[in-house]
Amino acid sequence: MIPNQNKMRVMETIAERNLISLMNDTKWRKLQDAVINTLRFPPPYQGKYLLDDLVYPEEFEKDVWYWGDWIEGIVPFYNVEWIRVRPRYLKHRGRLVSPEIIDITDDYVNILKELSIPYRLDHDTYYIYGYISDTSILT
């Protein structure tokens, strides 16, 4: 699909679903830059995009061993309905040793507050909404 057609479909979806825009390209870039340049690792996330019915990765209920692709994974920003960030990961320490939980939650939340990015905390994950219908659920 041609990028302009894709963006037009996104805008139609936003209007059809009566969604409110919470983020723009500038805010997404500032968040992306802060995550890449100030955190010890880019936290894993689950993404929901406006034109997709599925979330990726589909399973994200437990801590994971991988980092998030904050460079190319989130773009194009205008298509992001939300991302669900888990600011920790399981560091492998060997086959016979349990993985270590590396947690950067405090640093991640500080970034959200410094950039005035509204979020919703749900079971150790932070939802960042590009678009939403009900803002009363946000911190």
Side-chain angles (χ1 to χ4, degrees), residues 13-132:
T13 301
I14 292 166
E16 287 169 7
R17 293 177 50 197
N18 289 326
L19 297 175
I20 300 164
S21 176
L22 292 181
M23 297 283 280
N24 57 33
D25 283 358
T26 302
K27 279 193 131 176
W28 279 118
R29 269 193 214 94
K30 285 181 180 181
L31 175 60
Q32 181 185 46
D33 289 345
V35 164
I36 292 168
N37 296 317
T38 63
L39 296 179
R40 289 188 291 166
F41 63 89
Y45 63 88
Q46 179 182 51
K48 168 67 175 81
Y49 299 89
L50 286 165
L51 300 180
D52 296 331
D53 292 330
L54 298 175
V55 295
Y56 183 81
E58 290 183 42
E59 181 59 40
F60 199 67
E61 299 310 312
K62 297 178 183 172
D63 287 325
V64 297
W65 55 268
Y66 55 84
W67 292 355
D69 179 6
W70 284 79
I71 295 173
E72 294 180 11
I74 301 174
V75 293
F77 298 129
Y78 67 80
N79 191 25
V80 178
E81 184 169 349
W82 53 259
I83 60 171
R84 178 181 173 202
V85 179
R86 185 178 299 278
R88 49 197 243 172
Y89 82 102
L90 300 173
K91 181 179 180 182
H92 180 72
R93 298 191 301 176
R95 290 188 331 181
L96 303 176
V97 181
S98 296
E100 176 185 4
I101 296 175
I102 308 297
D103 191 334
I104 57 167
T105 299
D106 292 341
D107 295 331
Y108 180 73
V109 172
N110 284 340
I111 287 173
L112 296 179
K113 289 179 179 179
E114 286 173 15
L115 297 176
S116 300
I117 294 177
Y119 62 89
R120 178 172 65 96
L121 175 60
D122 184 24
H123 296 95
D124 297 325
T125 61
Y126 294 81
Y127 283 83
I128 308 301
Y129 291 88
Y131 305 94
I132 194 168

